[in-house]
């Protein structure tokens, strides 16, 4: 299928503590060096717009009903798509987002138990294009590792936000949902073994082939 836009959309995903934040800036720099004629836009979810960042603050710090949480994630995403992602892709830019819709399936779905049917509806609602196709990343880089290892890493580096306070069982379920989606969409996903050292992970990312 040909891409409906001249840009390229990459998302970074993984459970908290998997190490995606360690690599995302260097990865964007690498993209910029490799494709000097394309502008690279780095952004994140929830967030990426002024309203989205306000919603992020609520989402990461306020306990709330599961459906409210999912609706707010997608509300922030709607702003993000309309204001940032679509215009950048239409202008031929490379968009790199620290999380996108797979995170809602993994956290609100796998982790907290919202039905896949409801998540599919929300995804259709905000990501369907007039031609019926869905706006999706061209490439999703999934940092995968056991929940226990991620928990140990997190405890060393930062005070936990609302999601990071969840228990091991939650993160194992989040991980499994990420993996389920990766196996369902093998062409879109690239799975990184995040138990490796940062050097090995970086070497692997540098050899990743991107079809621009
Ligand atoms: P994260 O991306 O890990 O940022 P930081 O590195 O600053 O902690 O934090 C975002 C949190 O939001 C993370 O715990 C996952 C959660 N999240 C969802 O639960 N659903 C979503 O749809 C998105 C985008 C994020």
């Amino acid at each position: 299928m040909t891409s409906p836009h001249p840009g390229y959309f990459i998302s970074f995903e993984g459970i908290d503590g998997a190490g995606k934040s360690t690599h995302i800036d260097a990865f964007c720099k690498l993209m910029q060096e490799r494709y000097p004629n394309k502008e690279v836009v780095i952004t994140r979810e929830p967030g990426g717009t002024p309203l989205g960042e306000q919603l992020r603050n609520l989402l990461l710090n306020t306990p709330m009903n599961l459906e409210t949480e999912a609706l707010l994630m997608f509300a922030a995403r709607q702003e993000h798509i309309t204001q940032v992602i679509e215009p950048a892709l239409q202008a031929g830019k490379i968009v790199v987002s620290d999380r996108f819709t797979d995170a809602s399936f993994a956290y609100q779905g796998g982790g907290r138990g919202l039905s896949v049917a409801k998540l599919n509806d929300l995804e259709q609602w905000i990501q369907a294009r007039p031609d019926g196709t869905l706006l999706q990343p061209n490439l999703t880089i999934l940092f995968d590792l056991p929940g226990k290892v991620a928990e140990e890493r997190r405890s060393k580096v930062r005070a936990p936000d609302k999601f990071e306070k969840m228990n091991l069982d939650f993160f194992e379920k989040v991980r499994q949902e990420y993996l389920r989606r990766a196996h369902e969409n093998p062409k879109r996903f690239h799975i990184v073994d995040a138990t490796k050292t940062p050097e090995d992970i970086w070497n692997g990312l540098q050899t990743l082939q991107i079809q621009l």
Side-chain angles (χ1 to χ4, degrees), residues 101-115:
T101 304
D102 295 304
S104 300
F105 280 87
Y107 281 78
Q108 282 65 53
R112 291 197 66 188
L114 190 65
S115 74

Side-chain angles (χ1 to χ4, degrees), residues 43-59:
T43 185
R44 70 171 180 181
E45 291 204 350
T49 64
L51 176 57
E53 291 294 326
Q54 288 187 44
L55 292 172
R56 178 187 177 92
N57 195 20
L58 281 172
L59 281 159

Side-chain angles (χ1 to χ4, degrees), residues 34-159:
R34 216 176 262 177
Y35 305 102
N37 299 328
K38 295 244 172 206
E39 188 181 325
V40 178
V41 176
I42 180 165
T43 185
R44 70 171 180 181
E45 291 204 350
T49 64
L51 176 57
E53 291 294 326
Q54 288 187 44
L55 292 172
R56 178 187 177 92
N57 195 20
L58 281 172
L59 281 159
L60 266 54
N61 297 303
T62 316
M64 61 184 76
N65 170 276
L66 170 56
E67 314 233 343
T68 309
E69 186 173 279
L71 289 164
L72 289 181
M73 288 289 178
F74 275 90
R77 183 163 298 127
Q78 176 73 81
E79 286 291 305
H80 195 208
I81 291 173
T82 316
Q83 289 190 34
V84 177
I85 298 176
E86 272 288 1
L89 293 175
Q90 291 304 338
K93 297 178 186 174
I94 299 173
V95 177
V96 181
S97 186
D98 190 342
R99 301 192 187 279
F100 191 62
T101 304
D102 295 304
S104 300
F105 280 87
Y107 281 78
Q108 282 65 53
R112 291 197 66 188
L114 190 65
S115 74
V116 171
K118 284 187 177 168
L119 288 158
N120 280 336
D121 283 350
L122 290 170
E123 184 183 43
Q124 280 290 334
W125 188 11
I126 72 159
Q127 285 161 245
R129 293 197 159 95
D131 69 359
T133 60
L134 281 183
L135 167 70
Q136 288 290 13
N138 299 90
L139 169 67
T140 296
I141 302 176
L142 173 61
F143 285 70
D144 176 58
L145 88 174
K148 185 80 196 141
V149 183
E151 190 177 61
E152 280 158 15
R153 286 189 187 168
R154 286 197 307 274
S155 66
K156 288 192 189 126
V157 291
R158 56 184 182 241

